[in-house]
Amino acid sequence: MTMAVGFLSLPTELICHILILLNPRDISRCAMTCNIFWLVVRNSVHIQYKLEIYAQGLISAGTATMNSTGVSRKTLCSLKKLASLWRSDFYATTTFETVVTTATTWQLMLPIQYVKCGLWWSHSLKEDKLYIQGCGTNLTLSRTWSIDHVEGCFTTFDPLQDLMVVCSKSDDCVTVTDAEQNHHVCRVQFRLASSERPHPSAVCSSLECKHTFDAPGHYRAALSPPVICGERVFIVYELEDTDNWLVSGTFIQVINWRKGYVNRHFLCQPDIYAQHCFYPVDEQKFVIIGLKGSIYLYTLQGLDGPPQCRIIYHPPTIPHLSLSKSAIVVHGLPSLLGKAARPGLMPSYVPSLESQIMVLEFLPEAEKAILVIDMAIFSDKALHSDMLVEIPWSNWGPQHACYFPHHESYDISVFGSKMAYALPQDHIPDPGERLEELSNEGYFYVHIWDFNKRVIARSESVNDPDSPDLRICKPGQIIDSSGKDIFSDRAYIATVCRTPFPTAGSSIFLEQDRLTVTWILHDEISIRVISPIQTEVGPDLTE
């Protein structure tokens, strides 16, 4: 007599073998059906790697077997090697050092710096020059460009697309005599960063951005620096009525620099937008941070349509965390979208929204704080309705946002799911611990915190021979009057660079496989690139 055996009665190894034959989306659905499936998915390193590869965009949602992913062994092995980085405490291993000498002596006001794809750059407004420095193997890409022929300008740079965008600042005052008439706001130029010539991929070398006013008067456009995201360049600006000293609204110029056209759109009322708190999610979505800490998710309607606010994520109401009228700084992954003119600079893989975080730095007069937010809330899966949806904190914050006490002297840099944090101690802070201010005469230690849920699941798996002994931490718990958590207690992996760095004039920049630390002293900017010591990884998944 034959006895029927239920599927859930099968050995765990056989259930794992069956599940890994499914596509990533079906694996996730199975994991939500019962505790047995959930534990199998969580404890299988191969399933977790498959889900991670899907999250990175290396395979599609409908791909089933690992052998049909179309991903090379080299790519899979690269993913495993990258997963082994920043996993345990390390001492600084310097891979590159240089000094950039400027014509300006920096004292109280330090220049704004950026690092992307192994290139450092800074626009010196005092001397109207753009400094670009290759760090490591990219020394031939180092340049210093003089842009003094554009009087008063913003400059930004995308190494992947070899694109330098130069935006002239608006006039001090625009006199409008006839309503519904176009008036000049700024002119934007698109150049090769490698030669400063017009970019060959752009239909036209420059575009004029204009604004149509509703009523006569005297106005001034207060521009934010341009932001590059693939083929798009976004310029956000507030329109000020200088007769009444009122801000009449916030607007956005959306430029397709390759195809050569620009569209102006109304964005929001002036009491919503916090200046310079614009962050592109991708070429069709962006978020702005409101003055009171609300997060507004916008989507562009079609190729050339206006932005539509789809979701408003409201902040918590906490007596000691005053978000109203607080200065806000946004930290996130730099855009890696667009056709790469320099494919050699492209990272091995680009983290998807499911593997990214955004850090909001709140700097009120009272207690400072940072919120680490899971970028999955901005994915297409969150866009369920064409109508505006307002989501209270209780419906998203306790699941997707972690709270940490902060001080403005602690520098922050974000790449993917990791955050580099400059702290005054070489050990992990206790949950909710408040640290002292970094002294200019002292030293700091770089902490790397990884909020990737799949990495944490793999590290807790007894079936993963590649998982080192990781230090898994949780943020401090804050509960409301009813005893419910206000913030997420989501675990994160914490590591520390045990080498102390001088604080004075310093900045940190985290990338996939390197940490760049800079110091500014007088007219010199010192650049130092550090890589963690790699741990051994197991055999390739395809073997």
Side-chain angles (χ1 to χ4, degrees):
M1 182 177 178
T2 304
M3 182 178 295
V5 178
F7 182 75
L8 297 181
S9 301
L10 295 174
T12 301
E13 294 80 3
L14 186 55
I15 295 176
C16 176
H17 180 75
I18 295 172
L19 290 178
I20 204 170
L21 296 176
L22 302 178
N23 64 55
R25 186 173 295 167
D26 289 340
I27 292 175
S28 299
R29 289 170 177 166
C30 288
M32 293 186 292
T33 59
C34 68
N35 192 49
I36 293 178
F37 281 171
W38 183 83
L39 288 173
V40 170
V41 171
R42 183 171 182 261
N43 293 330
S44 168
V45 60
H46 287 165
I47 290 179
Q48 287 298 318
Y49 270 125
K50 183 170 184 176
L51 293 176
E52 181 69 10
I53 292 169
Y54 161 61
Q56 305 302 343
L58 296 178
I59 59 175
S60 65
T63 302
T65 64
M66 291 295 291
N67 293 331
S68 62
T69 61
V71 182
S72 67
R73 291 189 178 190
K74 181 179 179 181
T75 301
L76 291 174
C77 190
S78 173
L79 181 63
K80 293 190 71 177
K81 287 181 179 179
L82 289 169
S84 70
L85 300 178
W86 316 110
R87 291 291 174 260
S88 57
D89 292 355
F90 61 96
Y91 289 90
T93 302
T94 302
T95 60
F96 175 81
E97 281 185 293
T98 192
V99 175
V100 176
T101 303
T102 67
T104 300
T105 299
W106 304 101
Q107 295 177 345
L108 297 178
M109 185 176 178
L110 300 179
I112 299 176
Q113 307 171 73
Y114 305 89
V115 172
K116 179 178 175 181
C117 302
L119 270 75
W120 168 94
W121 73 95
S122 177
H123 178 199
S124 171
L125 294 176
K126 291 184 178 181
E127 34 181 349
D128 279 330
K129 287 186 177 181
L130 178 68
Y131 295 93
I132 302 173
Q133 175 64 52
C135 301
T137 59
N138 303 320
L139 296 179
T140 58
L141 303 179
S142 302
R143 298 283 188 277
T144 299
W145 293 121
S146 177
I147 46 180
D148 52 5
H149 55 281
V150 181
E151 184 177 355
C153 65
F154 292 115
T155 303
T156 190
F157 167 53
D158 183 2
L160 278 178
Q161 303 184 95
D162 195 16
L163 173 65
M164 183 168 67
V165 173
V166 181
C167 174
S168 64
K169 290 188 178 179
S170 61
D171 299 331
D172 291 335
C173 183
V174 176
T175 301
V176 179
T177 55
D178 296 324
E180 305 301 326
Q181 199 172 31
N182 286 332
H183 289 265
H184 172 85
V185 172
C186 62
R187 178 166 290 278
V188 184
Q189 302 177 25
F190 316 107
R191 306 180 188 172
L192 285 169
S194 56
S195 65
E196 211 178 2
R197 290 194 289 265
H199 202 292
S201 297
V203 170
C204 50
S205 60
S206 67
L207 287 171
E208 184 180 16
C209 297
K210 297 182 178 182
H211 185 92
T212 305
F213 293 85
D214 296 329
H218 299 87
Y219 300 90
R220 188 180 78 90
L223 303 181
S224 294
V227 177
I228 303 173
C229 185
E231 296 186 356
R232 307 274 192 185
V233 175
F234 300 98
I235 301 176
V236 179
Y237 61 101
E238 292 181 331
L239 204 60
E240 300 175 354
D241 183 345
T242 58
D243 292 330
N244 301 306
W245 296 106
L246 295 174
V247 178
S248 58
T250 302
F251 300 83
I252 187 170
Q253 301 275 350
V254 182
I255 303 170
N256 189 311
W257 67 271
R258 289 183 182 270
K259 297 181 179 179
Y261 61 83
V262 56
N263 292 294
R264 183 216 31 117
H265 304 292
F266 173 78
L267 187 58
C268 62
Q269 296 296 332
D271 58 343
I272 291 180
Y273 175 65
Q275 193 174 24
H276 303 320
C277 286
F278 172 90
Y279 184 83
V281 177
D282 53 40
E283 292 178 306
Q284 290 297 120
K285 296 196 295 289
F286 60 83
V287 297
I288 63 172
I289 314 300
L291 293 172
K292 296 183 179 181
S294 293
I295 303 174
Y296 298 77
L297 175 62
Y298 284 81
T299 59
L300 294 175
Q301 305 306 298
L303 296 177
D304 306 317
Q308 177 186 356
C309 186
R310 304 288 297 277
I311 302 177
I312 303 177
Y313 294 98
H314 289 291
T317 303
I318 305 176
H320 68 271
L321 179 60
S322 176
L323 303 183
S324 180
K325 297 181 181 179
S326 168
I328 304 172
V329 182
V330 183
H331 303 271
L333 175 73
S335 170
L336 297 170
L337 300 172
K339 298 178 181 177
R342 295 168 171 165
L345 297 182
M346 179 65 76
S348 300
Y349 68 90
V350 177
S352 67
L353 286 179
E354 287 78 5
S355 296
Q356 290 185 38
I357 58 170
M358 167 193 285
V359 177
L360 299 185
E361 184 179 2
F362 292 93
L363 302 173
E365 293 183 1
E367 297 182 13
K368 280 70 173 174
I370 59 172
L371 295 185
V372 179
I373 298 173
D374 188 346
M375 291 280 284
I377 66 172
F378 305 133
S379 68
D380 292 336
K381 297 176 184 177
L383 301 173
H384 302 300
S385 172
D386 290 334
M387 304 296 292
L388 175 62
V389 178
E390 297 195 41
I391 303 180
W393 175 265
S394 59
N395 289 355
W396 76 274
Q399 297 81 35
H400 299 287
C402 298
Y403 165 88
F404 298 92
H406 175 65
H407 192 277
E408 62 262 35
S409 64
Y410 306 161
D411 202 9
I412 298 171
S413 181
V414 172
F415 188 94
S417 61
K418 301 180 184 67
M419 177 181 79
Y421 205 16
L423 295 178
Q425 62 185 34
D426 65 348
H427 57 276
I428 305 301
D430 294 329
E433 178 184 355
R434 300 187 181 279
L435 304 178
E436 297 179 355
E437 176 183 358
L438 283 172
S439 168
N440 269 339
E441 289 75 34
Y443 292 84
F444 69 90
Y445 297 86
V446 178
H447 294 238
I448 309 291
W449 294 353
D450 192 349
F451 293 83
N452 190 319
K453 291 177 286 189
R454 293 188 179 90
V455 173
I456 296 170
R458 288 200 299 270
S459 71
E460 296 175 343
S461 169
V462 296
N463 296 329
D464 185 0
D466 300 332
S467 286
D469 295 329
L470 304 181
R471 187 186 295 113
I472 299 178
C473 304
K474 287 191 175 183
Q477 189 179 36
I478 300 178
I479 59 176
D480 59 17
S481 57
S482 62
K484 294 182 179 179
D485 287 330
I486 298 178
F487 296 99
S488 170
D489 63 349
R490 174 177 172 179
Y492 61 95
I493 298 170
T495 60
V496 182
C497 178
R498 297 287 186 179
T499 303
F501 300 103
T503 301
S506 63
S507 298
I508 60 174
F509 305 92
L510 179 66
E511 292 194 88
Q512 199 170 50
D513 56 354
R514 64 177 71 92
L515 174 72
T516 303
V517 186
T518 66
W519 293 271
I520 298 175
L521 180 63
H522 303 308
D523 62 343
E524 292 185 340
I525 303 176
S526 300
I527 302 173
R528 183 179 176 188
V529 179
I530 296 160
S531 289
I533 299 175
Q534 297 189 18
T535 59
E536 293 296 325
V537 298
D540 198 320
L541 293 179
T542 58
E543 293 179 355

